[in-house]
Amino acid sequence: MVRGNAKAKAQEKNAKKQAEKTSAKSSLGKSNESLVLKCHVCMALMKNAKQMKEHFESKHPKVAMPAECIGGG
Ligand SMILES: [Zn+2]
């Protein structure tokens, strides 16, 4: 039964290693694709249509919202 326990521990270690690898990778990917939309009024960069919609509502309430903000739901 000791052997089985050791195996489980090894798997745990491996899982931890994999998680560290994955998180490092995903954080790198995020920095690349986090800012995708640009406000055509003040050139501010937004992460997604929802953020852009909120930005327009608070910063440019009198400017017509871009189609991608309305279509996104
Ligand atoms: Zn703006």
Side-chain angles (χ1 to χ4, degrees), residues 8-50:
K9 268 196 177 173
Q11 274 179 343
E12 208 175 283
K13 237 184 177 179
N14 251 337
K16 215 177 173 185
K17 257 191 185 175
Q18 286 285 355
E20 275 169 21
K21 261 192 191 172
T22 313
S23 69
K25 251 190 188 173
S26 64
S27 73
L28 267 179
K30 263 184 193 168
S31 66
N32 256 345
E33 56 184 303
S34 56
L35 302 169
V36 288
L37 292 171
K38 190 189 257 181
C39 170
H40 65 84
V41 181
C42 69
M43 300 299 146
L45 292 171
M46 301 296 144
K47 283 178 187 172
N48 50 48
K50 191 181 170 232

